[in-house]
Amino acid sequence: MKADPVGVAKGSYFMDGDHACAEGAIAAGCRFFAGYPITPSTEIAERIAERFPKVGGMFIQMEDELASMAAIIGAAWTGTKTMTVTSGPGFSLMMENIGLAVMMETPCVVVDVQRGGPSTGLPTLTGQADMMQARWGSHGDYELIALSPNSSQECFDLIITAFNLAEQWRVPVLFMMDECVGHMTEKVVIPDAYEITITPRKFYRGKKKDFKPYKFNGHTKIAPMVKAGDGYFFHITGLTHDERGYPLINAEAQQTNVQHLVDKINKNVDKISIVEEDNITDADVIVVSYGISSRVALKAVEFARKNGIKVGTLRLVTVWPFPEKRIKQLASQVKAFIIPEINMGQISLEIERCAAGQAPTILVPHAGGWVHDPKDIFQAIEEAVA
Amino acid sequence: MTEVATQSKKGETKPKNEKPKAVLRDDYEHPMEIYLRIERFPHIWCATCGIGTVLTAFISGLEKSKLDIEKVTVVSGIGCTGRTAGYLRLDSFHTTHGRAIPFATGLALGNPKLKVVVISGDGDLTAIGGNHFIHAARRNLDLTIICVNNFNYAMTGGQAGPTTPMEAIASTAPYGCYEYPFNLPFLAESSGAVFVARWTALHIRRLTNTIAEALLKPGFSFIEVICPCATLYARRNRLGDGLDLMRFYHDNAIIKHGANTREVDIEYQKQIIVGKFVDIDKPTFLQQRDRFLKNKLGNQFIPYKEPVS
C-alpha cells in the first residue's frame, strides 16, 4: 500500500532528526500520538502537536510516560497506528507497558532519543547507553525489534520501516535515536506519497465467532487483528493466555505463549534484520557501529584506509534482533572487530558473544556527553592489526 | 469419583477430570448469558464478595442504557476487580496495574464512537493509578469509571491501601491503619468529574440506575461502590461474613443525593453517605478539542476519524 498523500510533506528541507522523525511517522500513517515532554525528544512531540490537527491525527500530552505507553496500546486496538517518544528516564517508565504491548502483540512505535544516563544524567547531551535496556528493559522473556538511524534523512525513512515492521510482526518497535542524531540538522528529502510503501494493519476477515486474537501454531503466520467496536467481543490480557486471549495460569501455557513471542522474532531474523556493510570482503578489521557513532567512525576508517589498513564497516540499522549469524560468519575471516559506542560496552558484548572467541572484539567506550574523537577509533584499529 | 467413572464400563464413561459444567448445558439459560464469558466460569471471586454484584448491576445498567453493546468496551487494571473485564462478553481489556485509565484513554480517543468503561479496584485506580485518575477527570475524557472499593488490596492478601479507614487492620497495618484515607467522591469532583455517585453493593437497584445514567452521561463519570471483602478485610477486622457487612450497609448507609462531597468521608465502621453527589454539564475533552482547533485553524483543521477495517 502507498502512503496517504495527506501526511506526506513532499519537498527538500533543512531539518533536524527529531522533526524528520515526526514527518516520517506522519507519512507512515501514524495518526495517534500520546507522549510526555522530555529532552532531547520533545521536538518530535512539538512537531506532531502542530501537524496532527492538519492531517486528521489525534495528539494527547499525557500525565507521564507510563500513561503515554498505555494510551498508545489502547489506541492501537482501535485500528490506528500509534507512537510515543521519550528519552532515558521516560524510557524506563515505559518499560512496564512495553511488556504489555509485547504480551498483547500490539503494533506500536516507541522512539527513544538517547541522552547520557544513568538517572537524570545528561539531559541535553548524547548517549547510546539504552541499547541493552531496549533489549531487556521490561521484565520477563521476550523479543522485539529496535532500529537505530544515523542521519536526519534516515530518521524520516527508517521510522516508516519501524511502523511497517510493527504491523508485520505485531510487536512494539523501538526507534533508538540519540541526541546527536535528533538535533543534527541536515538535508532531508521527503518523496512523493506514491514512492512510500506502507504496511497496512492486517485485519481479520473470517466469521465473527471463530475469531481468535492470537495464533501460536507457527512463527511464520502472524494472526490478523480486529478493532474494538466491531462486534467481535474479544478479550486480551497481560496475563499468560491462550489463543483466545483468555488467561491460563500454568507452566504449559507459559511455555506456549512465551515460545511464540520469542520465536516470531528469533526465527525471522533474516527477514527483519537490516545491516549496512562496506568493504567487508577483504577486511582485516571490521568496525561495527550504529547511530551517530557510525558517522564518527567513518573518519577513522577513512584515515586507516589511507594508512593501508584494510578496514570494513558494518552498521547495525536494526540492532535487535541481533544479526548473530552474520557476525559469526565474519568472525571467522577477520582479525578483530572494533566497536565504538557511546556507552561503557553494550553491543560490544553482544558481538563478543557471537564472535565466540574466533576474533577479538575491541570496545572503544565513551561515557556520553559527546561523540568519540575519531583518533581513538583509529588507534584501536591500528592496534588491532599491529 | 471421576477415577471410578473412568475405570467403569467403556462407552458410557466421561473423560477423566471432566467436571460437570452446569452452565454449559444446552438447556440452561442464564438471563445474562449473552453478556458473560460463561466458558470462563467459575470466576475467581470468593463467596459473598461484592464484585459479582457490581458485575450484575453493570450488566443490568448496560441493558437499561440501551447502548449498542458492540460499541461498549471495558478496561480493567489488576486486582480482584481487575478480573471483571475478563468475564464480560464485550470487547474487554485486562491491562497493567494502575494503567486501566490511560489504556482506556487510548481506546476512547482512538475511536470516539466507543463508550469506554473502566471497572477496577480502589488500589488500582487511586493508588498506583491515582495520577491517571485525576488527569483523566481534569481533561473530562468521555469515560465511565466504576471503582469497587473494598478498603484493601484483596488480590495480594489484604494489605492497607489509600482507602483503608484509620484504625482498620490490614496485613501491612497489623496494628491498625494510621494513614488518612482518600475521600474518593471529593477527589473525583475536585479533579473535574461531571458525574459522581457512591453506592454500596447492597444498593443494587440504585447502583444499576446510576450505572445506566453514567453510561449515557458525556464526560468523566465516577461511581464508587463500597463492597464487602469477607475473606480479608472483614475477617481481619472481625466484622463477620459478607452478610454481616451487607447488614452493616443496611443500617449505616445514608442516602443523601447532592451531598457536598467534602463531607462524605468514610470513617471506620461509621456511617456511609451514598447517593448521586455531582451531575453537571461541561464539554468533554473531544468536544473541547474539536471546537477549539476548528476555531483556531478554520478549514485547515481535519477532525480525527477512527480507522476503517
Side-chain angles (χ1 to χ4, degrees):
Chain A
M1 191 178 130
K2 295 301 166 195
D4 179 358
V6 173
V8 182
K10 180 182 160 30
S12 289
Y13 301 86
F14 193 51
M15 205 182 245
D16 73 10
D18 278 356
H19 285 170
C21 170
E23 286 302 332
I26 299 167
C30 174
R31 291 295 180 271
F32 185 96
F33 178 98
Y36 186 82
I38 184 167
T39 307
S41 73
T42 313
E43 291 88 336
I44 305 176
E46 287 169 346
R47 182 86 173 195
I48 298 258
E50 187 194 329
R51 293 268 285 129
F52 259 21
K54 298 174 184 171
V55 299
M58 176 67 71
F59 169 92
I60 184 168
Q61 185 173 311
M62 297 300 283
E63 52 275 15
D64 57 29
E65 289 89 347
L66 301 159
S68 306
M69 191 61 217
I72 67 163
I73 304 171
W77 282 94
T78 67
T80 187
K81 291 192 177 180
T82 67
M83 172 170 90
T84 187
V85 308
T86 191
S87 185
F91 199 46
S92 291
L93 293 186
M94 285 180 184
M95 284 305 148
E96 176 193 60
N97 288 307
I98 286 175
L100 182 68
V102 167
M103 199 58 155
M104 287 183 165
E105 298 189 47
T106 306
C108 54
V109 173
V110 179
V111 179
D112 175 13
V113 188
Q114 298 172 86
R115 62 193 223 186
S119 189
T120 315
L122 299 172
T124 58
L125 300 175
T126 200
Q128 291 182 319
D130 303 350
M131 301 311 292
M132 279 296 170
Q133 188 183 20
R135 172 70 184 82
W136 300 108
S138 199
H139 56 277
D141 278 312
Y142 62 93
E143 295 285 341
L144 44 62
I145 298 172
L147 304 159
S148 181
N150 76 348
S151 66
S152 293
Q153 181 67 50
E154 205 173 51
C155 285
F156 179 89
D157 297 335
L158 203 60
I159 192 95
I160 299 170
T161 309
F163 276 97
N164 290 349
L165 288 169
E167 294 298 334
Q168 191 181 353
W169 301 103
R170 273 187 70 176
V171 73
V173 174
L174 310 181
F175 199 64
M176 305 301 289
M177 293 167 59
D178 50 64
E179 186 273 337
C180 279
V181 169
H183 284 164
M184 184 166 55
T185 302
E186 306 180 278
K187 185 180 178 183
V188 174
V189 178
I190 299 182
D192 267 311
Y194 66 80
E195 291 176 70
I196 299 172
T197 304
I198 300 296
T199 306
R201 175 73 46 93
K202 199 174 165 201
F203 287 112
Y204 174 80
R205 304 276 178 210
K207 282 183 189 155
K208 280 192 176 173
K209 67 175 176 55
D210 296 335
F211 173 71
K212 285 180 190 164
Y214 305 106
K215 193 176 275 178
F216 295 158
N217 56 356
H219 54 266
T220 48
K221 286 236 167 93
I222 305 296
M225 295 171 71
V226 295
K227 303 190 274 109
D230 281 356
Y232 287 91
F233 302 129
F234 66 99
H235 177 67
I236 54 170
T237 173
L239 287 167
T240 297
H241 48 262
D242 59 19
E243 291 188 341
R244 296 173 301 172
Y246 289 6
L248 258 189
I249 310 300
N250 62 55
E252 291 83 6
Q254 171 75 357
Q255 185 65 42
T256 314
N257 197 164
V258 174
Q259 194 72 55
H260 164 71
L261 295 177
V262 169
D263 280 355
K264 77 170 178 181
I265 303 298
N266 272 357
K267 295 203 171 170
N268 291 297
V269 178
D270 295 344
K271 289 180 193 154
I272 298 167
S273 188
I274 309 167
V275 292
E276 210 178 73
E277 297 176 357
D278 182 39
N279 280 304
I280 287 280
T281 14
D282 63 340
D284 281 334
V285 285
I286 295 178
V287 176
V288 183
S289 57
Y290 54 91
I292 193 62
S293 304
S294 65
R295 303 274 297 266
V296 178
L298 283 182
K299 190 85 191 159
V301 169
E302 198 181 304
F303 196 63
R305 281 180 191 154
K306 273 186 192 152
N307 279 271
I309 306 171
K310 286 179 184 168
V311 194
T313 59
L314 186 148
R315 180 163 76 94
L316 301 164
V317 179
T318 52
V319 179
W320 307 116
F322 203 71
E324 194 171 325
K325 245 198 285 180
R326 186 63 184 142
I327 300 294
K328 265 185 190 150
Q329 266 171 9
L330 295 173
S332 61
Q333 67 186 60
V334 295
K335 285 190 183 148
F337 291 107
I338 313 288
I339 304 106
E341 46 183 345
I342 309 176
N343 58 51
M344 304 309 282
Q346 297 193 7
I347 296 303
S348 62
L349 293 175
E350 195 65 8
I351 305 273
E352 195 172 299
R353 180 182 72 78
C354 297
Q358 293 186 83
T361 56
I362 300 161
L363 164 72
V364 188
H366 192 305
W370 194 226
V371 293
H372 290 83
D373 183 336
K375 270 187 234 154
D376 295 336
I377 304 171
F378 171 69
Q379 210 173 355
I381 297 170
E382 215 177 20
E383 280 166 21
V385 290
Chain B
M1 288 288 283
T2 19
E3 284 298 323
V4 177
T6 329
Q7 283 160 17
S8 70
K9 291 287 164 218
K10 55 195 183 265
E12 324 158 1
T13 53
K14 282 187 170 180
K16 201 173 157 184
N17 293 333
E18 193 183 296
K19 287 179 200 153
K21 291 175 187 165
V23 287
L24 288 180
R25 274 176 13 221
D26 291 341
D27 56 343
Y28 190 91
E29 261 185 51
H30 187 282
M32 288 180 174
E33 214 170 50
I34 60 157
Y35 300 99
L36 293 168
R37 299 184 192 276
I38 301 280
E39 67 275 23
R40 291 214 49 218
F41 283 22
H43 57 68
I44 62 153
W45 298 314
C46 307
T48 77
C49 169
I51 302 170
T53 314
V54 178
L55 181 60
T56 305
F58 173 72
I59 291 170
S60 311
L62 179 59
E63 266 188 333
K64 212 169 177 149
S65 74
K66 303 236 168 10
L67 285 172
D68 174 2
I69 59 166
E70 290 199 358
K71 300 289 176 208
V72 178
T73 297
V74 173
V75 185
S76 290
I78 298 296
C80 292
T81 315
R83 292 303 187 100
T84 311
Y87 299 126
L88 278 164
R89 187 173 298 287
L90 298 170
D91 288 337
S92 57
F93 300 87
H94 182 221
T95 64
T96 39
H97 197 20
R99 317 298 166 223
I101 289 179
F103 193 102
T105 302
L107 282 165
L109 298 181
N111 183 353
K113 293 207 172 96
L114 296 176
K115 173 71 219 179
V116 185
V117 185
V118 173
I119 307 179
S120 220
D122 49 309
D124 187 77
L125 288 170
T126 69
I128 188 166
N131 198 30
H132 312 309
F133 180 83
I134 58 173
H135 284 282
R138 173 180 65 77
R139 296 185 180 109
N140 198 24
L141 285 161
D142 197 4
L143 298 173
T144 294
I145 314 290
I146 299 174
C147 174
V148 177
N149 179 1
N150 57 12
F151 302 124
N152 73 149
Y153 286 94
M155 179 68 95
T156 44
Q159 293 76 30
T163 55
T164 310
M166 275 206 198
E167 299 291 333
I169 288 171
S171 75
T172 49
Y175 310 109
C177 178
Y178 43 77
E179 288 187 22
Y180 304 104
F182 262 144
N183 168 350
L184 295 182
F186 182 43
L187 178 69
E189 186 187 12
S190 51
S191 303
V194 291
F195 184 101
V196 179
R198 176 197 278 157
W199 296 107
T200 76
L202 180 75
H203 298 87
I204 300 178
R205 187 173 51 83
R206 291 185 167 94
L207 175 60
T208 302
N209 291 339
T210 299
I211 288 172
E213 215 180 323
L215 288 174
L216 297 172
K217 175 90 190 173
F220 191 90
S221 50
F222 174 71
I223 304 167
E224 180 185 13
V225 191
I226 307 300
C227 221
C229 172
T231 307
L232 294 157
Y233 181 76
R235 183 173 55 83
R236 272 214 182 86
N237 287 289
R238 302 183 191 284
L239 303 176
D241 59 19
L243 190 60
D244 294 316
L245 288 176
M246 289 299 219
R247 270 195 205 102
F248 178 82
Y249 298 158
H250 179 264
D251 297 341
N252 294 279
I254 300 168
I255 300 175
K256 236 190 223 179
H257 292 300
N260 183 347
T261 55
R262 243 174 223 283
E263 291 156 11
V264 302
D265 287 277
I266 296 176
E267 287 177 53
Y268 184 58
Q269 291 302 96
K270 300 255 174 73
Q271 64 170 26
I272 300 170
I273 298 170
V274 294
K276 187 169 87 176
F277 306 137
V278 178
D279 189 356
I280 58 165
D281 293 313
K282 139 175 124 172
T284 65
F285 174 91
L286 273 180
Q287 290 166 342
Q288 186 77 1
R289 170 192 186 268
D290 288 356
R291 203 169 55 190
F292 193 88
L293 290 174
K294 175 82 199 147
N295 205 3
K296 294 281 177 189
L297 296 175
N299 291 335
Q300 277 191 296
F301 175 55
I302 303 181
Y304 176 83
K305 278 208 181 70
E306 66 284 355
V308 286
S309 35

